[in-house]
Amino acid sequence: MAFLKFSAIIIAFSVLFPKNFSLSDAKRVHNSITTIDTHCDTPMKFVNNGFDISVSHEAPESRVDIPRMEEGGLDAIFFAIFTSQKPRNTETYKETYDLANQMIDSTIVSLEHNKSTTGLATSVKDLQKLEAENKRAIFLGMENGFPIAKDINRVKEFYDKGVRYLTLCHSSNNDICDSSTDPKGAEHHGVSKFGKEVIKEMNKLGMIIDVSHISDTAFYDVMKYSKAPVVASHSSVRSVCDHPRNMSDDMIKLLAKNDGVIQICILGDYIKSPDTTSVHYTKMQELKKKYNNWQYKNDDERKQAWAEWDAINKNYPQVLPTIADAVDHIDYVVKLVGIDHVGIGSDFDGGGGLADCTNVADFPKITLELLRRGYSEDDIAKIWGGNFLRVFKAVEKLKA
Ligand SMILES: [Zn+2]
């Protein structure tokens, strides 16, 4: 009886006064697990300004490079071959296809120059090999199926170049499916006929389907058509922050049933609803309108828009949410569907970043918050890559 009383006191004490974890505890955890960030937009920097990934940079201008991956104990990251959606015509199809290839080629050249520290990974095995050699693994994902145009053969073409996931669309509708944020609304009412073919081809090749950015109806279509589990490479929770880019409870439940995973996107507006009265918000809305919901006429216009984007962020800094706000999304998913269906996709170099997590070197701070909230090291290993790798392996297995 006395013993029972004593244990009750210990439990009550540990709830009231959680163990005082420090950043060095979080770093130790990172060194003992595999950590993956499933989405960043760094390849754009290779094309725009000949970015050198081997040296450390400063956020917010740059949030990902090899020295900071090492510092943050980040083993792997997905580089998105991102192309923004433009009106669809022969000219833009060609332009976008060329740009995607340019991004892939320049990423590969950059990795060749950094062979001693980093390597391109195209499978779970590649990652394990690189990790054993204490090297960083860079995976390629493609954000927006626009470069596929209407040519099904291009899915394999990009797969053969190393691309391992495809985010079916971006902020506007494309030939594959509808977007969650196209101001014109639905075009295909979900996934198009061509999109269905793309999904089939991806399952066949062992390419991961990424449902981030796609409309709710398109998501439900993917759930019907895909034979493999899927990922949301960078999406957050709509019940915590009401944004069409985020996933509803029903979608998350269905994703979990499919054995997939939602990788929480740490982009401010998807973590916490923005202050719509701020100058930053007003200026960004004006910019979005000016550039037709980011549908650029050409590359010069895209570069101009990004320069103006940077200027707004510099002159009218946004009050960003914090790691604690982001971990609220993780908590929510865990309560809704369990620990096996959640991870992290930063969207760094593409808008992602929190007040206290500005670049990949800051990732142990997220782990520290998880430790403080009572997550075990096994839970944290699942969140930082275990769950995503389970999906990746299932996709690879279906191919085999
Ligand atoms: Zn995105």
Side-chain angles (χ1 to χ4, degrees), residues 39 41 80 82 143 167 169-171 210 212-213 233-234 245 265 267 270 347 350:
H39 193 89
D41 285 302
F82 163 72
E143 182 174 29
T167 316
C169 73
H170 189 241
S171 349
D210 178 11
S212 287
H213 283 289
S233 73
H234 60 305
R245 260 287 275 116
C265 180
L267 189 146
Y270 308 154
D347 213 357

Side-chain angles (χ1 to χ4, degrees), residues 314-325:
K314 201 170 172 188
N315 298 329
Y316 312 97
Q318 185 183 11
V319 181
L320 288 168
T322 62
I323 287 171
D325 295 319

Side-chain angles (χ1 to χ4, degrees), residues 254-326:
L254 198 57
L255 182 77
K257 210 174 148 199
N258 154 285
D259 207 27
V261 59
I262 172 173
Q263 303 283 109
I264 299 302
C265 180
I266 57 171
L267 189 146
D269 289 358
Y270 308 154
I271 291 296
K272 217 173 171 180
S273 299
D275 172 9
T276 52
T277 61
S278 70
V279 182
H280 177 274
Y281 183 83
T282 314
K283 295 267 175 204
M284 279 299 182
Q285 291 306 308
E286 281 166 13
L287 193 70
K288 192 174 166 185
K289 207 171 160 195
K290 180 176 171 186
Y291 290 104
N292 193 21
N293 190 38
W294 318 123
Q295 290 212 50
Y296 310 113
K297 286 191 205 86
N298 50 49
D299 277 346
D300 286 343
E301 195 181 76
R302 175 176 58 85
K303 283 179 193 164
Q304 177 62 28
W306 276 88
E308 287 177 41
W309 169 293
D310 285 341
I312 293 172
N313 279 328
K314 201 170 172 188
N315 298 329
Y316 312 97
Q318 185 183 11
V319 181
L320 288 168
T322 62
I323 287 171
D325 295 319

